[in-house]
RNA sequence: GGAGAGAUGGUCGAGUUGGUUUAAGGCACCGGUCUUGAAAACCGGCGUAGUCGUGAGGCUACCGUGAGUUCGAAUCUCACUCUCUCCGCCA
């Protein structure tokens, strides 16, 4: 959510935000609603002021034995008028709120122009994609051959886009989770959180998944609960409607969670393997910072996620998303893309964003610099640190051998009871 | 699932026969006096948001949420949410 006053005074900002939403927004209608609202408020408040004055006179008159019936009659009609005005104001407020909630965040000046991922800017590359002296297999074939992934059983039990991990596969996924959490908590200074995997609708609004993208989420029937699409939602909303002390900032949290996504609109894409699932595991990084430090913190957060890939020996690149590819709530996003041999290209494995005050304003997360200072909105950031399923896929493909076995990356061995090679 | 209690400003807590309460008071916090410094004491300040105004400042709303009664609601009525206690069931 953006600041209405800011939009009122600087419509140019609105234009920039709308570059993302492809201009479907009725800007003039929005501006005139804002004017209308303030007119009505002024009228109503003047009337309320009169009403309050009369309300004080009535007991005084009664005490003096004066007749109050005509004044009371007058106030009765004034009261009705006020109720009517309040009703109108409430309607306009709702309309404005609805509109404002659908305006995306304003992209940072550094965000490149462009419509799609082809316009993203490569920032840096690490490692070189593996070369094989045999015909490498895709991870879904490797997984089934080694009996560590089972897609057809999951399809029977649940449906498409679900997976059973088995044997060393299940253990690998669990090892990755522990490896990442340990790295972030011990080396990078994040405080670990294990969040609820369902949240109330209010939390989904707070971080920007709702009201605009309800079809992307799984809603639990007969409740107002949603399965979380990322741990970002519960962890960011931990501090909803709170005023933090500046001394508490920056706050760093890392959290494992399962993530649930309806993947509406991606039917037919990435139908094989672990790349696009309705349920996947992820270790998330979340930060709350002061406005002046948020971009430095974004660089650090991105580096923290990169280190996971470096330690696992997985080649990747970092790209800066262009306006067209930028998420609804984000002001600037770096994607980490890992080299996926079966796709023969880089595939997104982490998305690190600075939301500036956009989420904080929606979720009402503030801080105070000192005892007599005004409150300000914090900046929120988050990034995957990183997605486990895609990492597993990438490890299987990158570390596969000609005989069909898969080497376990060095750093994971202590999490797998010393296992060095996954064999059939 | 059953029974009961509760929700007031950063915190504690008064106010519930509807009208000088414009939400008392304590604590915490901030500024000042005093002091070599600090503490104590004393004096003053101290919520959030909207709106009008160039400004000083004014006005309006907010006592869990929403609706209602009334000239007027923290206070009365109804619904809902959450928290706590006890019972039952349960990993």
């Amino acid at each position: 959510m953006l600041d209405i006053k800011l939009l009122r005074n600087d419509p140019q900002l609105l234009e920039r935000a709308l570059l993302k939403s492809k201009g479907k927004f009725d800007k003039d209608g929005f501006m005139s609603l804002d004017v209308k609202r303030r007119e009505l408020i002024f009228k109503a408040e003047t009337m309320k002021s009169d009403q309050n004055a009369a309300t004080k006179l009535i007991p005084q008159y009664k005490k003096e034995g004066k007749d109050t019936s005509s004044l009371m009659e007058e106030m009765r009609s004034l009261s009705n008028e006020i109720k009517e005005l309040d009703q109108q104001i409430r309607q306009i407020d709702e309309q404005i709120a609805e509109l404002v909630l659908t305006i995306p965040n304003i992209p940072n000046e550094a965000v490149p122009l462009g419509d799609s991922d082809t316009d993203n800017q490569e920032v840096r590359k690490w490692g070189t994609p593996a070369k094989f002296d045999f015909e490498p297999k895709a991870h879904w074939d490797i997984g089934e051959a080694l009996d560590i992934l089972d897609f057809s059983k999951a399809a029977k039990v649940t449906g498409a886009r679900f997976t059973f991990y088995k044997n060393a596969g299940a253990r690998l996924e669990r090892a990755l989770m522990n490896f990442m959490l340990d790295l972030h908590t011990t080396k990078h200074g994040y405080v670990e959180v294990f969040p609820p995997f369902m949240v109330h609708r209010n939390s989904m609004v707070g971080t920007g998944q709702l009201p605009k993208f309800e079809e992307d989420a799984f809603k639990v029937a007969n409740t107002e609960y949603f399965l979380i699409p990322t741990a970002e939602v519960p962890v960011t909303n931990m501090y909803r409607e709170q005023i933090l002390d500046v001394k508490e900032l920056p706050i760093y949290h890392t959290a494992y969670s399962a993530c649930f996504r309806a993947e509406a609109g991606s039917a037919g894409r990435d139908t094989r393997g672990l790349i696009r699932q309705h349920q996947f595991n992820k270790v998330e990084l979340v930060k709350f910072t002061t406005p002046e430090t948020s971009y430095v913190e974004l660089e650090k957060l991105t580096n923290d996620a990169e280190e996971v890939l470096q330690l696992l020996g997985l080649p990747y690149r970092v790209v800066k998303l262009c306006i067209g590819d930028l998420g609804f709530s984000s002001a600037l996003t770096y994607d980490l893309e890992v080299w996926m041999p079966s796709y023969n290209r880089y595939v997104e494995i982490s998305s690190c964003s600075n939301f500036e005050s956009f989420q904080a304003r929606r979720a009402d997360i503030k801080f105070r610099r000192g005892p007599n200072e005004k409150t300000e909105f914090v900046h929120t950031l988050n990034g995957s640190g990183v997605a486990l399923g895609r990492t597993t896929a990438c490890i299987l493909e990158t570390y596969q051998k000609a005989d069909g076995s898969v080497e376990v990356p060095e750093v994971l061995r202590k999490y797998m009871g010393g296992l060095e090679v996954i064999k059939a």
Side-chain angles (χ1 to χ4, degrees), chain A residues 10 19 36 116 132 190-191 271 283 301 355-357 368 407:
Chain A
D10 190 354
L19 282 175
K36 181 83 183 159
S116 71
F132 299 93
Y190 292 77
V191 174
T271 48
V283 168
L301 185 146
F355 303 96
E356 298 190 0
S357 59
R368 211 191 293 273
E407 188 189 345

Side-chain angles (χ1 to χ4, degrees), chain A residues 33 71 109 385:
Chain A
L33 265 183
L71 183 56
E109 281 154 29

Side-chain angles (χ1 to χ4, degrees), chain A residues 274-291:
Chain A
L274 293 170
I275 302 303
R276 193 173 297 276
Q277 300 266 291
H278 285 312
Q279 174 190 324
F280 63 97
N281 296 307
K282 183 156 60 72
V283 168
E284 183 76 0
L285 305 171
V286 178
K287 288 185 178 184
F288 302 81
T289 76
T290 57

Side-chain angles (χ1 to χ4, degrees), chain A residues 199-207 210 224 226 237 240-241 362:
Chain A
V199 294
H200 192 272
R201 144 174 258 115
N202 297 340
S203 295
M204 295 285 276
V205 173
T207 29
L210 295 182
E224 286 302 316
F226 289 80
N237 279 283
R240 180 147 49 90
E241 289 148 40
R362 285 173 158 243

Side-chain angles (χ1 to χ4, degrees), chain A residues 29-94:
Chain A
F30 172 72
M31 290 301 187
S32 67
L33 265 183
D34 180 52
V35 170
K36 181 83 183 159
R37 171 177 167 271
R38 282 183 290 157
E39 265 173 31
L40 291 179
I41 284 178
F42 184 68
K43 229 166 127 184
E45 288 191 349
T46 308
M47 288 161 84
K48 282 178 190 173
S49 187
D50 292 346
Q51 186 186 42
N52 286 343
T55 289
K56 276 175 194 146
L57 280 179
I58 287 172
Q60 201 179 312
Y61 281 6
K62 280 190 174 169
K63 214 177 272 177
E64 294 168 5
K66 289 188 192 166
D67 179 35
T68 57
S69 58
S70 71
L71 183 56
M72 272 162 71
E73 188 55 42
E74 216 176 291
M75 285 303 110
R76 199 191 316 264
S77 64
L78 182 64
S79 172
N80 285 333
E81 283 180 63
I82 289 174
K83 269 176 195 159
E84 211 166 290
L85 269 180
D86 275 346
Q87 185 61 33
Q88 289 178 40
I89 291 168
R90 205 171 309 134
Q91 277 177 11
I92 289 183
D93 273 344
E94 273 168 31

